[in-house]
Amino acid sequence: MNFWPSTCQQYLVPLKYTCRMNPEVLAESTDPDFEMEYIDIGNVSLEHGIGQLQAFRFYGAPSRARKIVRKGDTLISTVRTYLKAIAYIEEDHTNWIASTGFAILRPDVGIDPRFLYRVAQASPFVEAVVASSTGVSYPAINPSTLGSIEIPLPDLVTQKAIADFLDRETARIDQLIEKKERQVSLLKEKETALVTAAVTKGLNRKAGMTETNVGWLGSVPSHWTVCTLGLRYSIKLGKMLDQARQTGQHLRPYLRVYDVQWGTINVNDLPQMDFTPGDRARFRLLPGDLLVNEGGSYVGRSAIWEGQIEECYYQKALHRLRPHDATRDSSRFFIHVMSAATRLGVFIAGGNQTTIDHLTAEAFGKYLFAFPPIDEQLAITAHLDDRQNEIRKATLSIEQSISRLREFRSALITSAVTGQIDVTTWSKRGTTDRRLDAIEADMARAAQSERQQVRA
């Protein structure tokens, strides 16, 4: 299947004529103590290449760890091809071993290794690989089919010019993306500091303070109450799932762990279970209920039930919190407390995410928190809601800019390897990738807006 534009049709050749595929594998007679760093599909991405690797000795390595890689090789995932796991080996690593789920492309003489890698990154090639894969849940492409996919192949001088151009331009784009990602990280740190300060110190910086001897709380305003959660909130774990009761006369929708994200709850395509009248009284959610994840890697993740649908329940992996006295405590304030506590690792035993499986209702109820008077709770909530909205708008703007840069990078690679731009002058040749034109114009407008803001 050919996805390449007309600008490069005359240069198309099957991939198998440009490289050797899977040239080396580890023999079963390999020294059992041979130390390797293993490249799995999950370690590789189209944009970032190879991430952190796992170290093994041959005797303990996965049976898939067999393909030897060398400097100049390109790796392409042949299983779960929708993940688009493609990477380039820039340096010689004598102990890097890739999964058999990759095809290893080793360029022939007369083929620039970096150019072959850029062709493999180009959208038409990626689309061809995905389209040629078979299987629904685990799509894969066999080496023969992969080798038959055509790619553009100009002369070696042009290949090198394109590779040099893309090395330079993608590095510049990557630096911009890295700076913007750092800005997003700083905004998240700012938000954490803002929330933590507000829920532990209040808004009045002149208030007298009292030491709590609770590590993450530190000193709190003297007129606040420090006590266990169970004295202020009722905590009820959700309904245990019963596969035998997925049918019945009283089917009702219920929330699962992944339906409860930070600050938002998904009510689309909820499963249903038969809730008896007694269970409906115990586990029905009311507007204002605070739902908290009770375990796993997302322990503490919380959201407020807003009554998005008329009737809904929740499963055992979630705690439901309600203030004993709604005139004294606000769940909308306490979700900010949960945000600060969770980000600071309060519910992770010993600071190690793997050492806690479940936060029981009994244990949760014994945690100490600081509770201001209700008027301060409401004032802090309003303040944080406003400030967080500002931070999130700024974050969204930066993330959209990052997305545009990534699209621009992808379009630039495709345009260069297909001859839609002259890489020696960075000028366009006829019709280019429409994304390139649109993103260029968008980025130019954004840059002009930023300059105007600076001048203002």
Side-chain angles (χ1 to χ4, degrees), residues 112 114-115 155-166 423:
D112 187 281
R114 296 169 302 142
F115 176 79
D155 60 77
L156 183 58
V157 172
T158 303
Q159 292 176 40
K160 290 182 176 179
I162 291 172
D164 288 342
F165 169 80
L166 288 176
V423 298

Side-chain angles (χ1 to χ4, degrees), residues 219-235:
S219 299
V220 301
S222 302
H223 62 287
W224 289 17
T225 300
V226 177
C227 64
T228 60
L229 179 61
L231 291 177
R232 310 283 288 225
Y233 280 81
S234 67
I235 306 167

Side-chain angles (χ1 to χ4, degrees), residues 4-5 7-8 45-49 86 114-126 152 159 161-171 173-174 177 405-423 426 432-433 435-436 439:
W4 298 101
T7 51
C8 64
S45 68
L46 180 64
E47 181 180 344
H48 299 294
I86 297 172
R114 296 169 302 142
F115 176 79
L116 185 61
Y117 167 57
R118 295 302 184 181
V119 168
Q121 280 188 307
S123 296
F125 180 80
V126 173
Q159 292 176 40
I162 291 172
D164 288 342
F165 169 80
L166 288 176
D167 284 351
R168 181 176 66 251
E169 292 302 317
T170 57
I173 295 169
D174 290 342
I177 291 174
L405 282 168
R406 286 175 174 159
E407 290 178 20
F408 180 72
R409 186 183 192 276
S410 175
L412 188 64
I413 291 171
T414 298
S415 296
V417 302
T418 57
Q420 294 180 87
I421 57 176
D422 184 344
V423 298
W426 205 157
T432 59
D433 188 311
R435 293 180 304 161
L436 190 64
I439 297 165

Side-chain angles (χ1 to χ4, degrees), residues 332-349:
R332 298 185 186 283
F333 166 77
F334 196 71
I335 194 173
H336 288 300
V337 176
M338 288 299 300
S339 173
T342 301
R343 293 185 191 194
L344 293 173
V346 170
F347 307 114
I348 300 173

